[in-house]
Amino acid sequence: MDAATLWQRYQDWLYTHDSLRFYLDISRMRFDDRLVAQIQPKLDKAFAEMAKLESGAIANPDEGRMVGHYWLRNADLAPNPQLKAEINETLEAIHHFAQDIHSGAIKPPNAPQFTDILSIGIGGSALGPQFVAQALASSSPQLNIHFIDNTDPTGIDRTLGQLKDKLNTTLVIIISKSGGTPETRNGMIEAKAAYKAANLPHGPHFIAITGHESKLEQLAKSEHWLATFPMHDWVGGRTSELSAVGLVPAALQGIDINQMLAGAKEMDEATRIPSLKQNPAALLALSWYFAGNGKGEKDMVILPYQDSLLLFSRYLQQLVMESLGKEKDLDGNTVYQGIAVYGNKGSTDQHAYVQQLREGVPNFFVTFIEVLKDRDRPSPEVEPGVTCGDYLSGLLQGTRKALYENNRDSITVTIPEVTPRTVGALIALYERAVGLYATLVNINAYHQPGVEAGKKAAASVLQLQNQIMKALGESDGALSLVELATAANAPEEIEAVYKIVRHLAFNNRGVVLHGDATQLQELKVAKAI
């Protein structure tokens, strides 16, 4: 297209939201009017299904659950008074708790105030709080936050090492809906061990965010933890940032959670409008459908052009890929749906993978996240009439232009600045876009059978480890891998047996290996003396 035609297309497809000062430009996606007409009946169905979801219909049929994260920022939408009261009471409790922590009304046993937070959770219980902390926490937050989001011993040691001299003033948040998530449980046990080693009671330092009557809630009460906050059954982990999961750590850091909720509520209202051009989430869903031919044939590359939004692509990875990556559709057909998401930040990527984006395999579309405000203070000129912010803006526009010229499509999301209100709006925008797109391709966006399958497989490996140790304990001597697999009642799992004993031996966990590591058939395994 020539410049005049592109300018007209930009005007035709630019969405603006005056109050949020939000812009969405999908003009550089090469869909045409035929696709819009073709997809309109599917969009109408998606709008209707979303309205049912918000009214309290069962939107997660596999688990028989309502999907109510939209109610978190507007409790008046909750389908019954009990849920409305629970939402409002939880928010009020979060505010009171944060105020009491900040004022010192709630304090550790032997210090005047808490200074740090250790947040322990995985998936949505970590990615959302991490993203918000990176985006919104001040350089001198009211409490500094640290994360254990993996069951990696080295990573745990590094995080606990940062807190070694501050454990006495650290508030530990354990986040798990069921209380049975192994990675979170492991992090909790490691944190308890650290407090025990420091001769500190852990109960006066711990709080839980968990489901009603869960194992974790029962544990917190029995050990007299400081507080518990609810994880609602109708809120999934990847849409939980505006629940207690994200609001508790944000409020403790001094982030304005009321503004986050207000921004999300305002975006919800905009994305509820059943009209394509007036609904930014619908415009995103249309663009994703076009880019991947309704089958996820192209990856979504997220490029935020401000350092504070660095973790937005990681946050969207879970939201998009866990929601849309499904083998079966709602009718039970095998469809293998999903959109792969990756990204980094601009302009870092001018020197990283933009080379491939422009000239390599055209298997993606880009979403630029543009922030209009550079900084609060005046910027020095790095060249006559040019600032660092001008360079950043120029690099974004130049990359967008260079990609389009080489038949690479892109979307540009523009916000005025990174604030609690705009971050809340971004979260709400993508939550709704995922929900609408899921209906377009007829899948359940709110379950995660693949994740559950991975957990079951991991549990079977650990069970095999126990069987191996039992077999070694009952053996009079060293066993070959084949003999050990047979003794452990897993004759078909020789490879798994080898990997387990290798790990145990390397970590001095009661197993020794004899023989040449390159000759696995001759390797012998014995219990360490």
Side-chain angles (χ1 to χ4, degrees), residues 227-300:
T228 62
F229 296 92
M231 288 184 77
H232 308 293
D233 183 63
W234 35 267
V235 176
R238 55 192 175 276
T239 55
S240 66
E241 174 54 29
L242 297 177
S243 73
V245 168
L247 297 182
V248 170
L252 290 169
Q253 291 170 86
I255 295 167
D256 190 338
I257 61 174
N258 285 340
Q259 281 298 301
M260 287 179 64
L261 292 167
K265 179 181 178 182
E266 201 161 0
M267 183 59 77
D268 284 343
E269 291 167 354
T271 57
R272 201 173 283 128
I273 297 171
S275 169
L276 174 61
K277 286 197 171 184
Q278 294 177 281
N279 185 322
L283 292 170
L284 282 180
L286 166 71
S287 299
W288 299 352
Y289 190 95
F290 162 73
N293 195 28
K295 300 174 183 177
E297 292 174 356
K298 290 191 176 181
D299 301 340
M300 182 189 305

Side-chain angles (χ1 to χ4, degrees), residues 443-517:
I443 60 169
N444 179 359
Y446 307 108
H447 68 162
Q448 50 280 333
V451 175
E452 300 306 318
K455 290 179 180 179
K456 291 177 182 177
S460 69
V461 172
L462 296 175
Q463 181 181 351
L464 177 56
Q465 179 173 308
N466 290 332
Q467 294 167 202
I468 288 169
M469 294 305 294
K470 183 174 183 292
L472 287 173
E474 295 173 350
S475 173
D476 293 330
L479 301 174
S480 70
L481 292 173
V482 172
E483 290 169 338
L484 180 55
T486 301
N489 297 315
E492 304 298 323
E493 298 293 338
I494 301 172
E495 180 180 322
V497 168
Y498 168 65
K499 290 184 176 181
I500 289 169
V501 296
R502 181 180 63 181
H503 175 257
L504 292 172
F506 196 87
N507 288 279
N508 300 314
R509 297 278 308 287
V511 171
V512 291
L513 302 183
H514 301 288
D516 186 345

Side-chain angles (χ1 to χ4, degrees), residues 172-189:
V172 181
I173 307 175
I174 310 296
I175 308 174
S176 173
K177 183 179 286 187
S178 67
T181 307
E183 297 92 334
T184 304
R185 178 208 60 204
N186 296 354
M188 177 186 69
I189 292 171

Side-chain angles (χ1 to χ4, degrees), residues 23-70:
Y23 305 81
L24 174 63
D25 165 28
I26 64 167
S27 66
R28 278 5 182 220
M29 302 295 291
R30 289 176 171 81
F31 62 86
D32 56 25
D33 290 342
R34 288 175 299 175
L35 176 67
V36 175
Q38 173 192 335
I39 210 171
Q40 190 60 55
K42 293 184 177 182
L43 270 178
D44 291 339
K45 179 184 178 183
F47 291 139
E49 291 297 322
M50 187 62 71
K52 291 178 185 177
L53 178 151
E54 287 197 315
S55 69
I58 298 299
N60 184 357
D62 290 23
E63 300 172 3
R65 292 180 180 176
M66 298 184 293
V67 175
H69 50 274
Y70 298 108

Side-chain angles (χ1 to χ4, degrees), residues 93 112 147 159 191 327:
F147 294 93
T159 300
E327 180 180 352

Side-chain angles (χ1 to χ4, degrees), residues 30 37 97 103 127 144 148 151 164 172 196 232 253 302 305 331-332 338 342 390 401 426 434 442 469 471 516 526:
R30 289 176 171 81
F97 183 75
S103 69
L127 289 167
N144 295 294
I148 291 178
T151 188
K164 184 175 182 180
V172 181
K196 184 177 181 180
H232 308 293
Q253 291 170 86
I302 305 292
Y305 272 66
D331 299 321
Y342 63 94
D390 297 336
K401 184 173 187 291
L426 281 175
V434 162
N442 194 37
M469 294 305 294
D516 186 345

